[in-house]
Amino acid sequence: MKFSATTIVAFAGLAAAAPTKRQSGPTDADILNYALTLEHLEDTFYREGLANFTQADFEAAGYDETFYGNLKRISSDESTHVSFLTGALKAAGATPVEACQYAFGVTDVNTFLVTASVLEGVGVSAYLGAAADIMSKTYLTAAGSILTVEARHSSYIRASLKQTPYPQPFDTPLSINSVYTLAAQFIISCPSTNPALPVKAFPVLAASSSDMSIKKGSTVMLSTPGYMLKAENDAPVYGAFITVTGPIIVNATMVEGGYEVVVPEGVNGQSYVVLTGCADAVNDNTVAAGPAIVEAS
Ligand SMILES: *[C@@H]1O[C@H](CO)[C@@H](O)[C@H](O)[C@H]1NC(C)=O
Ligand SMILES: *[C@@H]1O[C@H](CO)[C@@H](O)[C@H](O)[C@H]1NC(C)=O
């Protein structure tokens, strides 16, 4: 892509804000590469979806020309985020990650939009969760300016699915490892030349219910391939719904195939629940599996 004058000015600013490192935790270059990992995923997703489905396919599914044009705009935003972060990493002397191979499991316009909504929501939670780890204020502002745009994408796609565009007064920050756990489910393999990131995926946790949107107070089933291991000891297991003010922790009841939890008051829209043995806190040392995504209403 050709960089405009303003883009070059922005890169110069980012280069001046060389990555700094705190005593422990990820460097700013790690965080930018983590963001770039997600942007590559989104960018590929929209380009693939717009190659899979024509404007006529969207119209047949009930989405008009304006909507299709706006999807193309989202796709272009994601491509711009990729080139922006790639340029910022290069300007800082770091090696940017390249796109991976993905499996999105999209079969029609509807599954495309449902997956788009999940990805945009995870993107918002990823940038929000990483914000506190970014050392450079210049990078923080750049990441914030991407976060707000991802939030608009999320609202627009949620509205198109007849979901509340802004389902709660606070968005949910997710840790880098939690986001990576969700993103890794779409990744088949990445180029071996990509720099290794300080991330790990937790065991996958899947939420299922008869409804796409789960009412608060109703039960959702959480299943993880590792649940039999847990079943061997008697320690209690909890479901922790992540929120900005701390987790909302509920009992997880073992059932055939996994655990059941009741969706609590205080979560709305695209929500995230982890299984944990810890009754009062959630951190990377206490997550047993997840997060799973629960669309709560
Ligand atoms: C595009 O189509 C392929 C083949 O049906 C499918 O596997 C993939 O998930 C689709 N991707 C998107 C983003 O629509
Ligand atoms: C969770 O389980 C504990 C122990 O069985 C019980 O005392 C408590 O009332 C349960 N909490 C809820 C919200 O069901």
Side-chain angles (χ1 to χ4, degrees):
M1 99 168 230
K2 288 225 172 59
F3 296 121
S4 66
T6 43
T7 317
I8 290 165
V9 169
F11 285 166
L14 289 172
T20 34
K21 191 177 181 343
R22 55 164 60 82
Q23 290 303 85
S24 65
T27 64
D28 280 358
D30 290 336
I31 294 174
L32 293 193
N33 255 329
Y34 158 73
L36 181 55
T37 300
L38 300 176
E39 296 291 352
H40 273 308
L41 193 154
E42 288 185 308
D43 177 41
T44 307
F45 173 80
Y46 284 104
R47 281 189 291 110
E48 216 179 276
L50 289 170
N52 282 350
F53 308 113
T54 61
Q55 183 174 328
D57 293 330
F58 278 95
E59 277 171 13
Y63 298 95
D64 66 9
E65 189 184 343
T66 306
F67 181 79
Y68 188 77
N70 284 335
L71 275 186
K72 288 204 283 192
R73 174 69 73 107
I74 294 179
S75 179
S76 145
D77 286 350
E78 306 302 0
S79 298
T80 305
H81 293 165
V82 165
S83 41
F84 177 79
L85 290 168
T86 301
L89 279 154
K90 283 185 182 160
T95 306
V97 293
E98 285 171 23
C100 302
Q101 281 194 299
Y102 310 96
F104 295 112
V106 167
T107 52
D108 55 16
V109 164
N110 186 59
T111 50
F112 172 76
L113 291 175
V114 168
T115 308
S117 187
V118 165
L119 293 179
E120 295 292 354
V122 170
V124 168
S125 290
Y127 278 98
L128 190 57
D133 279 329
I134 299 176
M135 297 293 288
S136 147
K137 287 185 181 173
T138 310
Y139 288 162
L140 184 57
T141 302
S145 78
I146 296 177
L147 163 58
T148 55
V149 172
E150 302 291 358
R152 288 167 212 226
H153 295 167
S154 169
S155 294
Y156 186 72
I157 295 192
R158 286 183 62 85
S160 80
L161 292 169
K162 305 276 184 272
Q163 295 172 329
T164 315
Y166 22 79
Q168 54 184 353
F170 301 99
D171 280 318
T172 302
L174 285 178
S175 76
I176 290 178
N177 289 340
S178 291
V179 169
Y180 187 68
T181 303
L182 295 168
Q185 294 172 39
F186 295 103
I187 297 176
I188 300 170
S189 66
C190 294
S192 57
T193 45
N194 275 2
L197 296 181
V199 293
K200 72 162 190 181
F202 300 119
V204 169
L205 190 65
S208 56
S209 117
S210 43
D211 298 319
M212 189 179 134
S213 180
I214 300 166
K215 296 259 179 302
K216 275 164 284 183
S218 65
T219 298
V220 60
M221 160 91 162
L222 302 175
S223 51
T224 176
Y227 98 100
M228 289 302 291
L229 291 175
K230 281 272 166 190
E232 281 164 15
N233 64 44
D234 291 337
V237 176
Y238 304 95
F241 288 79
I242 313 295
T243 81
V244 70
T245 47
I248 302 172
I249 297 184
V250 298
N251 288 337
T253 311
M254 195 190 300
V255 293
E256 182 63 36
Y259 291 88
E260 276 182 356
V261 295
V262 172
V263 179
E265 289 295 329
V267 296
N268 276 296
Q270 185 163 312
S271 311
Y272 306 92
V273 56
V274 297
L275 280 185
T276 173
C278 183
D280 46 26
V282 173
N283 58 52
D284 283 351
N285 299 321
T286 62
V287 173
I293 294 176
V294 174
E295 175 62 33
S297 60

